[in-house]
Amino acid sequence: MTNPKFFLIAVCIILPGLLNLSSARADDNPGSRRARHGVEAIWVDTRMTFHQQTEAGEYDSHFQGDYFNFHVKGSIADNLSFRIRQRFNKGIDQANPFNATDFLYLRWQATPKWSFTAGKQAILIGGYEIDSAPIDVYYYGAFSNRLNQYYAFGASVGYSPVPGQEISFQFVPSPISPSTQNRYSYNIYWNGGFASWWRTIWSTNLVEDIYGRKMNWLVLGNKFNANNFFVDIDLINRASANQKQLLFSDFSFICKAIWTVGKWNLCTKVGYESNSAENVDSQGLSYDLVLPAGHDYLYGGAGVEFFPFGDERLRLHAVLFRDNHDRVNNFDIGMTWRFTIYEKRF
């Protein structure tokens, strides 16, 4: 049987020529509505790393591939767009055949203010750490790293009262249970801001865990920027209705800063996450299964990025990070590159 990955790669090589031919034929008829529809862009991105670490005085190192992603976006009709992101390096199985697919959705822009999205999409959890594309994140905190899933088949409705501000309502499988289990998450998400220098990704999420218990997350992601310097501050509060203390007994605080100097980015990120030991039920089971009761997690690091061409086509990085759980000194040197296979000319 033909390997589907090799088939997809062959399609990627042949498709741009066919798309260009199709576009040329459509352009022969200026009144053709189909000329505005179809694939708008196809591209790939990948990241590799030379990972080094020391643990208890022992040194270890190896080369590794981190990501290999295939992207497609376009439209199939007026105001009806699609988005696909497939990971070539992620495994799939019979229980979850779309495990390697992050995005596979249709978005209908019904009016300038209302939109409807259906298909596999990001689970709308606020905060800039989890909102960032995984290929752009060198290390995660405990909360983001221990979710069962970040993307799921579901539906969402978006409302934009004014340009630059959007409120979304989403119904998807729970991020803290397996994708095949009938546990769900009910999300309200605001992507907007208070000023040009203060952008926000806030959400409130009612999520069900594998036992059917419900927890509320309040996630406040804030981005502050000034010229070539910006700071992300994420605050996450997790609470069960049965907890004695609902605020700041189970929480995460994450801060990231980047200063851009020419083709260089100087970066740092620190995070602290804690869950009080008293946040357990009558059987001693933690209400929070992501960061169990009685645990805390402190992590941080710093690094540099260099863009030889002054854009995202090629990025070199060197990053050092450590946490108080694994107590491993990690040092990564690597590169990320992006290549456009096809881009429609309007």
Side-chain angles (χ1 to χ4, degrees):
M1 182 177 293
T2 302
N3 189 313
K5 293 184 179 179
F6 289 111
F7 175 76
L8 187 56
I9 292 172
V11 170
C12 293
I13 296 173
I14 299 171
L15 188 58
L18 297 177
L19 290 170
N20 284 329
L21 179 59
S22 175
S23 298
R25 290 175 176 171
D27 290 342
D28 290 340
N29 180 6
S32 173
R33 293 173 59 86
R34 295 185 64 183
R36 298 195 299 269
H37 304 148
V39 173
E40 296 175 5
I42 303 174
W43 72 99
V44 297
D45 52 21
T46 184
R47 191 179 87 193
M48 63 159 291
T49 299
F50 178 52
H51 177 76
Q52 304 169 79
Q53 67 180 51
T54 58
E55 182 178 7
E58 295 292 329
Y59 173 82
D60 188 24
S61 66
H62 61 269
F63 283 97
Q64 64 187 37
D66 298 325
Y67 296 96
F68 181 22
N69 304 322
F70 173 75
H71 306 255
V72 185
K73 71 173 183 178
S75 62
I76 62 174
D78 289 346
N79 301 321
L80 187 60
S81 60
F82 63 86
R83 177 80 163 85
I84 300 169
R85 185 170 79 198
Q86 182 78 12
R87 300 196 198 191
F88 285 155
N89 62 296
K90 191 173 183 180
I92 59 176
D93 55 50
Q94 189 172 10
N96 186 8
F98 288 91
N99 186 52
T101 305
D102 293 339
F103 298 139
L104 187 64
Y105 64 76
L106 286 176
R107 177 184 173 96
W108 176 37
Q109 191 68 46
T111 72
K113 293 184 179 292
W114 289 95
S115 64
F116 300 85
T117 302
K120 193 163 188 184
Q121 55 197 279
I123 298 176
L124 296 181
I125 303 169
Y128 282 91
E129 180 181 76
I130 199 168
D131 180 72
S132 301
I135 199 170
D136 295 327
V137 180
Y138 301 116
Y139 56 95
Y140 283 102
F143 173 74
S144 299
N145 204 37
R146 297 176 184 174
L147 298 179
N148 284 74
Q149 53 187 336
Y150 304 89
Y151 309 95
F153 282 96
S156 59
V157 178
Y159 174 68
S160 179
V162 295
Q165 307 278 346
E166 184 173 44
I167 301 171
S168 299
F169 308 88
Q170 186 186 57
F171 174 54
V172 290
S174 171
I176 56 175
S177 70
S179 60
T180 55
Q181 192 178 26
N182 62 335
R183 305 300 186 206
Y184 297 98
S185 180
Y186 311 87
N187 310 319
I188 301 176
Y189 182 89
W190 173 42
N191 190 334
F194 294 102
S196 60
W197 52 270
W198 182 5
R199 307 302 299 168
T200 56
I201 302 179
W202 291 5
S203 74
T204 178
N205 311 81
L206 184 63
V207 298
E208 298 176 324
D209 66 15
I210 59 176
Y211 302 107
R213 303 176 304 175
K214 293 181 174 62
M215 287 198 72
N216 175 257
W217 298 344
L218 179 63
V219 190
L220 307 178
N222 304 272
K223 181 185 290 290
F224 304 96
N225 63 82
N227 297 323
N228 295 324
F229 181 78
F230 76 80
V231 176
D232 292 346
I233 297 178
D234 294 343
L235 178 61
I236 306 170
N237 188 81
R238 299 172 293 270
S240 164
N242 298 314
Q243 287 180 204
K244 295 180 181 178
Q245 182 179 336
L246 298 181
L247 294 176
F248 303 115
S249 67
D250 182 6
F251 70 95
S252 300
F253 176 80
I254 306 163
C255 180
K256 180 180 74 175
I258 294 182
W259 180 28
T260 301
V261 182
K263 296 181 179 181
W264 295 84
N265 280 346
L266 308 179
C267 319
T268 186
K269 184 168 78 171
V270 295
Y272 178 68
E273 308 181 61
S274 178
N275 188 1
S276 174
E278 65 181 8
N279 291 331
V280 295
D281 61 19
S282 59
Q283 298 179 342
L285 182 65
S286 175
Y287 293 122
D288 184 355
L289 301 181
V290 178
L291 185 67
H295 287 75
D296 65 357
Y297 187 75
L298 175 66
Y299 67 97
V304 295
E305 298 176 324
F306 177 60
F307 301 85
F309 305 122
D311 56 27
E312 294 287 337
R313 285 177 294 168
L314 178 62
R315 178 183 67 204
L316 310 178
H317 70 267
V319 181
L320 175 69
F321 60 98
R322 177 183 170 87
D323 64 64
N324 69 339
H325 181 265
D326 296 328
R327 301 184 185 278
V328 176
N329 295 306
N330 301 276
F331 181 55
D332 286 349
I333 301 174
M335 67 177 181
T336 303
W337 58 270
R338 295 172 167 90
F339 178 73
T340 300
I341 298 174
Y342 169 79
E343 187 171 12
K344 190 173 184 179
R345 306 297 181 183
F346 291 95

